[in-house]
Amino acid sequence: MDRSHTSLKVEGREVPLRLYRPAATGLLPGVLYFHGGGFTSGSLDEAEVPAAALAESIPALVVAVGYALAPANPFPAAVEDAHAAARWLAERAGPLGVAGHDAGGHVAVSLTLLARDRGGPEIAAQALLGPMLDPSLTRVRDGDAGMAECARCYRAYLPEAALRLHPYAAPLESRRLGRLPPILIATAQDDMLRPEAESYAARLIDAGVPTEVTRFAGVSHAGLPCHAPALTAVSDFFRRRLSGARPHHQSHR
C-alpha cells in the first residue's frame, strides 16, 4: 500500500488529501472518503482505517479529504471542497465512488447532489456509514443521548436558519432525489441516527435510486467506520458498482 499526500486550493483554503494506492496495476476506480466529526472536528487520521481497508479490498485509489470544518468554514465550504476533490480524482482514476461516516456521510450526499446539478463529475456509487442527514433532528427521539451535541454541530455548520432547508443541507427534505448514483447505507442498530438514514433510503427508493440498506448489531455509531463487517459490505458494494461503470473521462466518447 502506497500512501502519499497532496492538497488542493479551494476558495483560498488549502484542502489536504491523503492518497491510498494499492499494489494493483492498471487504471483503478477512485473512491473519495470523508471522515466524521459532526462538521466541527475530525481529521485525515480518523479516515486511516476505513480508507486503507477500502483501497486494498476493492481495490481502488482511495482519497481521504480534509474538508473545511465549521464554525470557521460553515456550509457550503465542505461541499465545495468535496466537489473540487471529486474533479481532481476523476482525472486520475476510473469510475468514481464516494463514502463517508457521520458528517462525512452528509458531505458525500451533498456532493452527489451538487455533481448532478453541475453536470459532473460523474459519480457511479455512494456508501454512507451512520450518516447525519437531518438538521431538523425530527426523527431523533426526545431524550436520546447525543441529540444536544448533534444540534450544536448543525448550528455551527448551518448558522443561518434558512440554510437548514437548503436541499444540499437537508437531503431528507429535498424534492429532487432522482438521477442520483446507487447507494449503500450502513447503520448501527442502536444509533440514534439510524431512523433518518433509513428514512432517506426509503425516499431514494421512491425516487427510483438503486438503494441497499444494511444494519449492524453490536457496534456503536462511532465504531462503524472501523467495523470489519461494515467495511466488507462497503467494499463489496463498490466492487459491484464500480466494476461495470464507465470512467467519467470516457463518458462522453
Side-chain angles (χ1 to χ4, degrees), residues 96-98 105-128 133 167-168 170-185 200-212 237 241:
L96 187 62
V98 299
H106 190 292
V107 173
V109 167
S110 300
L111 170 58
T112 64
L113 295 163
L114 184 67
R116 177 198 63 188
D117 295 346
R118 289 186 180 173
E122 183 178 335
I123 297 172
Q126 54 180 321
L128 313 180
L133 297 172
Y168 299 166
L172 273 174
E173 309 304 329
S174 175
R175 299 287 188 264
R176 296 179 57 247
L177 293 177
R179 297 189 300 112
L180 292 175
I183 187 169
L184 169 69
I185 299 178
Y200 187 58
R203 294 284 317 283
L204 291 172
I205 290 169
D206 289 344
V209 177
T211 302
E212 301 175 34
F237 170 77
R241 289 296 181 177

Side-chain angles (χ1 to χ4, degrees), residues 33 45-51 53 101 129 219-231:
Y33 185 86
D45 289 340
E46 293 186 21
E48 176 70 22
V49 170
H101 169 243
L129 295 157
V219 62
S220 67
H221 170 80
L224 263 179
C226 297
H227 187 53
L231 291 176

Side-chain angles (χ1 to χ4, degrees), residues 47-251:
E48 176 70 22
V49 170
L54 295 177
E56 287 281 14
S57 58
I58 296 174
L61 172 58
V62 175
V63 177
V65 182
Y67 57 89
L69 299 177
N73 294 285
F75 174 86
V79 187
E80 293 294 349
D81 291 354
H83 189 249
R87 288 190 284 110
W88 182 90
L89 184 56
E91 296 175 355
R92 292 163 174 82
L96 187 62
V98 299
H101 169 243
D102 187 75
H106 190 292
V107 173
V109 167
S110 300
L111 170 58
T112 64
L113 295 163
L114 184 67
R116 177 198 63 188
D117 295 346
R118 289 186 180 173
E122 183 178 335
I123 297 172
Q126 54 180 321
L128 313 180
L129 295 157
M132 296 176 68
L133 297 172
D134 182 17
S136 72
L137 296 175
T138 54
R139 293 156 182 88
V140 177
R141 296 185 302 268
D142 287 340
D144 269 338
M147 184 175 181
E149 178 63 12
C150 274
R152 182 195 67 79
C153 290
Y154 275 123
R155 285 194 299 272
Y157 185 58
L158 304 165
E160 298 173 29
L163 291 177
R164 295 168 202 173
L165 296 176
H166 192 289
Y168 299 166
L172 273 174
E173 309 304 329
S174 175
R175 299 287 188 264
R176 296 179 57 247
L177 293 177
R179 297 189 300 112
L180 292 175
I183 187 169
L184 169 69
I185 299 178
T187 64
Q189 174 71 39
D190 297 325
D191 187 358
M192 73 171 191
L193 298 178
R194 178 174 60 78
E196 64 191 61
E198 294 177 356
S199 294
Y200 187 58
R203 294 284 317 283
L204 291 172
I205 290 169
D206 289 344
V209 177
T211 302
E212 301 175 34
V213 183
T214 182
R215 185 190 299 175
F216 294 94
V219 62
S220 67
H221 170 80
L224 263 179
C226 297
H227 187 53
L231 291 176
T232 296
V234 172
S235 296
D236 289 347
F237 170 77
F238 278 136
R239 199 176 301 116
R240 284 185 283 113
R241 289 296 181 177
L242 299 182
S243 62
R246 292 175 298 169
H248 170 69
H249 54 269
Q250 295 179 355
S251 60

